[in-house]
Amino acid sequence: MELTDSEGKKYLDLYGGHGVISIGHCQEDYVKAITAQLSKIGFYSNSVHIPLQEELAVKLQKLSGYSDYKLFLVNSGAEANENALKLASFYTNRSKVISFHGAFFGRTSLAVAVTDNPAIQAPINKTDKVLWANLNDIESVKKVIDSDVAAVIVEGIQGVGGVQIASDEFLKQLRELCTQNGTMLIIDEIQCGYGRSGKFFSHQYSGVKADIITMAKGIANGFPVGAVMIDPNIPAKFGMLGTTFGGNHLGCAAAIATADVMAKYNYVDNAAKMGAYLMGKLKGHKAIKDLRGRGLMVGIETFADASEIRKRLLFDEHIFTGFSGGVNTIRLIPPLCITEKEIDRFVEAFDKVTK
Ligand SMILES: Cc1ncc(COP(=O)(O)O)c(C=O)c1O
């Protein structure tokens, strides 16, 4: 849970390297597994059979409850979304996609095209194939969906957008609308997934199933791995998707070790418990305008300037936090191994810096 700087000062990490560190920095089993793999074989291309990919697929099926979904491995979140969108377009033979205001899906060409931030879209990324709707407003989706929409892509909880939860009711309505229109429902669980919300995938609170789910960040505790989980009814055809580095031996070893540690210590449950503990402590705090979140993905919208509060947390109290500037929100996305002791330390520090 801690980082140490060049002068030996220790910092409590409630940011987890942007929600990436799921099982803690330098976790012992994880370090051992990657080191051992490196001395066997670090990389060979997908031109050979890599059994570690199957081992990982089975572990993810078990952890997620998506027991029959297939797995395609890549190297980042943007790449996972890029492939998910491409797959939906291949499968439906359609070319449009619906995204949401406030969404962030990454910086590669399609991923950035469905991201609601023109400042990071180069002219070549701009396309009229993307239709926009409002999160938690099904009528706005109905207005734009038609028989040329390959996919709706939505974050289970918007992260960069400031911890905005896609409500259970909205996800149910979206699922129904997608099924009616033959449109693929892609749920991005890159930041809110992998146990962070207190369920393996945040959308599992709603009971809906996605056609395609994307993962990255916490999946390998900092080793660059992204993943696409795919409904078995979508047939894989040779040449549809491909990658050189995706699913490499080291990445798989890192992801397998992470999955094992997650299961061993029951960190999904810990995320639910510690998230509830944190929310309970912050509820009704006089400095907080709005408190949003599920599990260990928590947005604290403050009355005062959140960036100033963060600075004081970092420099005076030695606590790392995240930020969503558009909505003046401190974002907490800590490692899932956090305990009450660290939460108490944060709450005390937050009290102090907001006095
Ligand atoms: C919800 C979501 N999707 C996709 C991405 C892109 O992931 P990457 O930076 O690994 O490409 C991010 C990154 O912050 C994200 O938060």
Side-chain angles (χ1 to χ4, degrees):
M1 288 297 306
E2 271 185 343
L3 297 161
T4 310
D5 73 10
S6 54
E7 288 155 16
K9 231 181 281 159
K10 290 197 184 309
Y11 294 78
L12 175 62
D13 186 11
L14 300 187
Y15 180 53
H18 204 59
V20 167
I21 304 300
S22 44
I23 57 169
H25 294 281
C26 306
Q27 202 280 343
E28 209 176 277
D29 302 358
Y30 174 81
V31 173
K32 262 193 213 150
I34 301 177
T35 313
Q37 183 59 48
L38 191 54
S39 55
K40 283 188 217 155
I41 180 170
F43 176 82
Y44 205 80
S45 86
N46 283 303
S47 61
V48 302
H49 180 215
I50 301 177
L52 287 173
Q53 294 179 357
E54 280 142 36
E55 191 182 334
L56 175 59
V58 170
K59 286 189 195 285
L60 290 177
Q61 285 172 337
K62 243 193 211 156
L63 275 171
S64 70
Y66 274 91
S67 57
D68 54 352
Y69 273 45
K70 292 175 286 186
L71 183 69
F72 179 66
L73 290 163
V74 291
N75 312 284
S76 70
E79 209 186 327
N81 284 331
E82 200 78 21
N83 280 284
L85 290 163
K86 190 173 170 185
L87 180 63
S89 177
F90 261 136
Y91 178 60
T92 59
N93 198 26
R94 301 176 181 183
S95 63
K96 288 189 198 157
V97 56
I98 294 174
S99 180
F100 294 92
H101 294 296
F104 183 88
F105 294 110
R107 289 164 186 271
T108 56
S109 111
L110 267 174
V112 84
V114 290
T115 289
D116 184 19
N117 183 357
I120 61 169
Q121 293 168 340
I124 201 168
N125 303 130
K126 293 190 199 290
T127 163
D128 57 5
K129 301 279 188 196
V130 182
L131 309 166
W132 296 93
N134 300 319
L135 191 70
N136 295 330
D137 174 3
I138 199 69
E139 292 308 317
S140 71
V141 187
K142 283 184 188 163
K143 273 189 198 147
V144 287
I145 200 162
D146 66 23
S147 60
D148 196 26
V149 173
V152 172
I153 184 164
V154 64
E155 289 153 274
I157 304 173
Q158 285 188 350
V160 174
V163 190
Q164 315 288 352
I165 300 173
S167 75
D168 297 344
E169 187 52 30
F170 178 66
L171 287 179
K172 281 182 202 158
Q173 291 167 330
L174 206 52
R175 174 67 277 175
E176 216 178 297
L177 199 58
C178 284
T179 304
Q180 282 165 6
N181 285 274
T183 296
M184 297 290 100
L185 177 59
I186 302 172
I187 304 189
D188 175 323
E189 292 280 349
I190 287 165
Q191 190 169 146
C192 55
Y194 209 80
R196 176 158 302 285
S197 71
K199 289 200 185 281
F200 191 76
F201 290 135
S202 70
H203 69 266
Q204 289 173 323
Y205 281 95
S206 71
V208 307
K209 275 190 123 179
D211 299 300
I212 304 173
I213 304 145
T214 53
M215 275 187 278
K217 293 203 190 291
I219 191 172
N221 205 44
F223 200 96
V225 174
V228 189
M229 285 188 88
I230 304 163
D231 186 317
N233 294 313
I234 302 175
K237 285 198 193 127
F238 187 77
M240 241 180 176
L241 307 176
T243 163
T244 296
F245 289 122
N248 68 76
H249 293 77
L250 269 185
C252 285
I256 288 168
T258 307
D260 286 345
V261 173
M262 284 287 288
K264 182 171 161 189
Y265 297 106
N266 224 337
Y267 281 150
V268 183
D269 280 0
N270 193 56
K273 282 189 198 127
M274 290 303 108
Y277 181 73
L278 174 62
M279 293 290 251
K281 292 250 162 180
L282 292 176
K283 215 170 172 186
H285 196 289
K286 62 179 186 345
I288 298 177
K289 186 175 168 195
D290 192 24
L291 185 61
R292 300 180 291 274
R294 262 177 175 164
L296 290 172
M297 182 155 176
V298 173
I300 307 168
E301 187 174 338
T302 50
F303 287 107
D305 185 351
S307 59
E308 285 307 313
I309 297 174
R310 280 186 71 228
K311 267 187 212 155
R312 289 202 54 202
L313 284 169
L314 179 61
F315 296 113
D316 301 347
E317 303 299 323
H318 299 162
I319 298 176
F320 268 70
T321 58
F323 190 47
S324 292
V327 283
N328 196 42
T329 295
I330 297 170
R331 205 165 5 136
L332 302 184
I333 37 180
L336 309 183
C337 53
I338 196 168
T339 67
E340 288 184 1
K341 192 175 111 215
E342 285 112 11
I343 291 174
D344 290 345
R345 185 179 151 202
F346 167 74
V347 174
E348 236 174 72
F350 184 76
D351 277 346
K352 214 161 135 191
V353 301
T354 55
K355 263 218 173 85

